[in-house]
Amino acid sequence: MPDKPGRNAIEVKNVRKIFGTGEAQVAALDTVSVSIRENEFFTLLGPSGCGKTTLLRLIAGFDFPSAGEILLHGQDIASLPPFKRPVNTVFQSYALFPHMTVAENIGFGLEMLGKPKAEIKARVAEMLKLVKMEALSGRRTSQISGGQQQRVALARALAPQPKVLLLDEPLSALDYKLRKEMQIELKRLQHETGITFIFVTHDQEEALTMSDRIAVMSSGKILQVGTPWDIYDKPAERFVADFIGETNFLTAAIANIGNGKVRATLKSGATIDATVAEGFQPKDNATVVVRPEHAKLTNGKGELSGAVENIVYFGTDTHIHVRLDSGEAFTVRQQNTRSAGCGFERGDTVGISIGNDAAQVLRD
Ligand SMILES: Nc1ncnc2c1ncn2[C@@H]1O[C@H](COP(=O)(O)OP(=O)(O)OP(=O)(O)O)[C@@H](O)[C@H]1O
Ligand SMILES: [Mg+2]
């Protein structure tokens, strides 16, 4: 039966994974629940050691959860060995067979499944075309570049037509330019094949530009799941706001004004309206976040005031670091123009105006 769009491909329910025993015990996954939809480009984003690979390995079946369950299209797959799951993995190291040719590597999984020779040949040709490697099909994989190896690893994983493709930091070995090219390539492949991609990265920019949705992880937990827009503009917790992009944190007194909004009184005495994070509980004080590009530096008055401490030029924009009168630090990002400088100097007394709809209150 064809799969209906919008259904869940993978459901992870209250999964725990404990490594070791006694003192040396590590909760690599601490009660993780998440649903990944069919045809979705879903990214697990988080720092080293937060549990990304562990979660992929459980989905692939290379390891077992200590508690909880993993459903594939609604079916518990706990008893299915890795090769019987309609799931394939692209490892960070690619793990290609160096003595085999590009074509042999791509056909390997199909050979193992005992597919007829003619079918394998046709499928390998199709895959070579998909990853644009036709010209190098007879070359050994020890004799091709890193980016080419990456494409072969992808083709090999896609050849058996898995329902779900797991990609564990597949681009981290590539240089910046090739990495950017492969990001676009991966998006194209996902779009063309309609396969659900679960992509692991610790690179926030990569996650924002490639994903339909992102799960932000820290210390074995998923802190927030949302579209790149949600995660960037409506971070729920300090970790998420801090890990993704640059952010200003301000302490404020909070009063509820309804409609998912609060009025925040900043230490400067100014009040601004702010949206609240998912799971926010009414309270008197909370942390307000404002992205540096959503605030404007002025020579006059603003909601905040202070003195310019440092100016950092980035080519496309300039970051102006301000010490507020409250003692808090605040950075404003200003788009550069060709003809003029940033218009401010170190030591200047400045105002900062915070745009309408620029502030978000964390659940803390
Ligand atoms: N086989 C194992 N035995 C013991 N501890 C493990 C094992 N595998 C992983 N861990 C621990 O579990 C935690 C999560 O590891 P995991 O490999 O999932 O992290 P990760 O998010 O993939 O990190 P990275 O970005 O560095 O690859 C870490 O603290 C790690 O040391
Ligand atoms: Mg890992």
Side-chain angles (χ1 to χ4, degrees):
M1 206 174 71
D3 295 319
K4 284 196 221 102
R7 281 198 334 181
N8 285 330
I10 301 275
E11 285 165 83
V12 175
K13 292 187 170 174
N14 301 316
V15 163
R16 284 173 65 75
K17 179 65 187 177
I18 312 290
F19 288 114
T21 51
E23 293 268 297
Q25 195 164 305
V26 182
L29 292 175
D30 188 1
T31 324
V32 164
S33 296
V34 64
S35 296
I36 296 153
R37 299 176 195 139
E38 276 172 6
N39 306 337
E40 190 167 39
F41 196 117
F42 192 91
T43 297
L44 302 173
L45 171 68
S48 184
C50 72
K52 305 180 296 292
T53 297
T54 304
L55 185 52
L56 279 200
R57 287 176 54 80
L58 296 183
I59 295 170
F62 299 127
D63 216 335
F64 298 100
S66 310
E69 54 179 0
I70 297 176
L71 307 183
L72 184 90
H73 299 125
Q75 306 262 307
D76 189 345
I77 52 170
S79 58
L80 275 190
F83 67 94
K84 289 214 171 142
R85 299 185 184 199
V87 173
N88 231 340
T89 309
V90 178
F91 300 97
Q92 181 170 353
S93 58
Y94 310 150
L96 295 173
F97 305 113
H99 57 285
M100 288 188 195
T101 65
V102 165
E104 286 163 354
N105 265 280
I106 296 173
F108 183 79
L110 302 170
E111 297 262 4
M112 289 295 101
L113 292 170
K115 298 282 183 199
K117 285 233 169 341
E119 188 186 323
I120 297 177
K121 202 168 161 218
R123 186 87 188 125
V124 168
E126 197 186 326
M127 289 296 106
L128 283 166
K129 190 157 172 250
L130 188 70
V131 298
K132 304 195 177 100
M133 286 290 289
E134 297 110 308
L136 294 177
S137 70
R139 188 84 70 81
R140 288 190 183 187
T141 52
S142 54
Q143 295 162 347
I144 58 176
S145 76
Q148 290 162 344
Q149 288 179 26
Q150 159 72 72
R151 290 205 193 112
V152 177
L154 263 172
R156 185 178 64 177
L158 288 168
Q161 294 174 294
K163 290 262 196 312
V164 178
L165 190 65
L166 310 176
L167 302 113
D168 196 353
E169 309 228 18
L171 308 181
S172 58
L174 308 179
D175 69 45
Y176 183 79
K177 197 134 187 287
L178 192 53
R179 192 178 173 134
K180 293 275 149 200
E181 277 171 33
M182 284 307 298
Q183 287 175 359
I184 294 166
E185 197 83 330
L186 271 181
K187 280 293 276 186
R188 177 182 69 85
L189 281 173
Q190 196 260 338
H191 191 72
E192 281 178 17
T193 58
I195 293 172
T196 304
F197 275 31
I198 307 181
F199 182 85
V200 162
T201 183
H202 59 261
D203 179 335
Q204 45 106 6
E205 187 189 313
E206 191 162 278
L208 288 176
T209 54
M210 298 183 75
S211 318
D212 292 320
R213 287 191 307 150
I214 300 169
V216 182
M217 296 182 69
S218 169
S219 306
K221 287 186 191 308
I222 291 182
L223 302 183
Q224 190 172 357
V225 180
T227 63
W229 192 287
D230 287 336
I231 297 284
Y232 186 82
D233 267 346
K234 297 192 164 56
E237 294 190 19
R238 180 175 278 263
F239 180 89
V240 177
D242 214 13
F243 192 69
I244 293 153
E246 280 180 68
T247 312
N248 295 298
F249 296 100
L250 299 168
T251 310
I254 303 295
N256 199 3
I257 54 173
N259 258 348
K261 288 214 160 185
V262 292
R263 185 146 296 157
T265 305
L266 305 174
K267 281 187 180 166
S268 64
T271 57
I272 53 174
D273 291 353
T275 53
V276 291
E278 213 180 276
F280 175 83
Q281 302 288 338
K283 61 185 79 170
D284 296 337
N285 290 291
T287 308
V288 174
V289 269
V290 179
R291 295 288 184 187
E293 69 274 22
H294 296 156
K296 202 165 174 310
L297 214 55
T298 69
N299 284 311
K301 279 197 178 315
E303 283 82 13
L304 302 169
S305 57
V308 174
E309 233 176 25
N310 208 2
I311 297 175
V312 187
Y313 177 73
F314 276 90
T316 50
D317 47 27
T318 299
H319 296 195
I320 301 153
H321 300 273
V322 177
R323 179 64 53 188
L324 300 179
D325 296 340
S326 63
E328 293 166 302
F330 198 100
T331 302
V332 175
R333 184 181 300 170
Q334 198 170 282
Q335 179 87 35
N336 290 332
T337 58
R338 189 139 177 250
S339 47
C342 82
F344 297 94
E345 281 180 32
R346 211 189 291 193
D348 280 357
T349 302
V350 289
I352 296 171
S353 62
I354 297 171
N356 234 349
D357 223 20
Q360 158 92 346
V361 175
L362 302 179
R363 62 177 172 237
D364 275 341

